[in-house]
Amino acid sequence: MAEMVAAPEKGPNAWAQAIAALVVVGALGGGLYMIQKKDAVAADKPAVCRFDDEDEKAAEKAHAAHRISGTQLCTALNRTDLPALLGTPQEHALTAYGSDGSVKMASGTEIPSPEGTVQLDTYTVKLSRSYDDLPIAGMEGLLSEAESKTVLGRPAVLYSSQTIAFSFDLGGGKSDTGPGGIARALVVAPDTKDGGGSYELAIWRQDNVRPDDAALLSIAQKVLPAIPGWAAAG
């Protein structure tokens, strides 16, 4: 028996240089997905964002540095109406988790990149934060199928990204990677001044069908204001 999961490739901002790390994170996420999926199916109830001692430490560290944590992003994303916003109201969250990683640049600088992920039967949704100094303005020229937007009064770019498919052979203990479907992603400035850094909301489907842009934009309207500190950023 084999399980297939997918993860989107990063866009061309500062943490786009971490493709190798993506493979590792995706593989670990896939293992967590299979464990939590079994838990959710057995309990027949939506998954919740899990907390443990490491999550608490990461959240405390992020708070001290005036940053958002992966657990906070997961909590904002894992809404009860998320399945309905995706157009799959009969489904519920099978996995929900946050992570607090970072991307190491060629200069040696590490840029925090926390993220929260929620997976359903049809869709996976990921919300991440990049603390680089790159503005949103001009980014559309570097992205595939990019379109400039204004979301909740802030500069944004809607674009496409190729996903990486992970195949796990549960019987033979083997894994493999290959090209997956298309993810649609929305990069939004954290403030109206577009002073650098971004939030990114991405959705992709397990069946590799192209995601619905309307669903992505609807989720952004609901989820982004729920992020701690969003309103204060102005």
Side-chain angles (χ1 to χ4, degrees), residues 27 79 132 163 179 181 184:
R79 303 169 54 92
D132 57 44
T163 66
R184 290 293 281 169

Side-chain angles (χ1 to χ4, degrees), residues 13-233:
N13 61 7
W15 34 269
Q17 301 180 31
I19 296 299
L22 245 184
V23 175
V24 175
V25 171
L28 294 176
L32 180 61
Y33 163 72
M34 288 183 284
I35 293 170
Q36 289 194 336
K37 180 178 179 180
K38 291 177 181 177
D39 291 346
V41 170
D44 193 27
K45 61 183 181 181
V48 297
C49 297
R50 294 191 173 187
F51 298 84
D52 57 27
D53 291 341
E54 291 302 316
D55 292 329
E56 294 285 351
K57 292 176 183 178
E60 291 174 2
K61 185 177 180 180
H63 179 73
H66 304 287
R67 296 195 304 264
I68 200 79
S69 71
T71 298
Q72 288 174 308
L73 292 175
C74 177
T75 301
L77 184 59
N78 192 25
R79 303 169 54 92
T80 56
D81 61 351
L82 182 61
L85 292 171
L86 287 165
T88 56
Q90 74 283 2
E91 297 181 3
H92 59 241
L94 299 175
T95 73
Y97 55 93
S99 63
D100 290 272
S102 62
V103 173
K104 191 171 185 177
M105 306 298 291
S107 63
T109 302
E110 289 197 11
I111 299 176
S113 56
E115 59 186 36
T117 303
V118 176
Q119 187 157 21
L120 296 80
D121 273 323
T122 302
Y123 278 97
T124 298
V125 188
K126 180 176 287 187
L127 176 63
S128 58
R129 174 72 160 96
S130 178
Y131 286 91
D132 57 44
D133 295 323
L134 300 177
I136 300 297
M139 188 178 289
E140 65 274 9
L142 304 173
L143 297 166
S144 175
E145 298 184 293
E147 180 183 352
S148 296
K149 294 279 186 181
T150 299
V151 175
L152 298 169
R154 307 181 189 197
V157 174
L158 177 66
Y159 75 99
S160 293
S161 177
Q162 179 77 49
T163 66
I164 302 172
F166 297 89
S167 176
F168 298 90
D169 185 346
L170 302 183
K174 297 180 180 180
S175 64
D176 196 9
T177 62
I182 294 296
R184 290 293 281 169
L186 184 70
V187 186
V188 184
D191 55 60
T192 56
K193 296 180 180 179
D194 194 16
S198 61
Y199 287 99
E200 179 170 280
L201 182 65
I203 63 173
W204 64 97
R205 293 176 59 112
Q206 313 310 326
D207 56 9
N208 292 339
V209 173
R210 188 183 179 91
D212 180 17
D213 286 352
L216 174 59
L217 294 170
S218 293
I219 294 168
Q221 294 286 336
K222 297 284 188 178
V223 168
L224 294 178
I227 297 172
W230 173 269

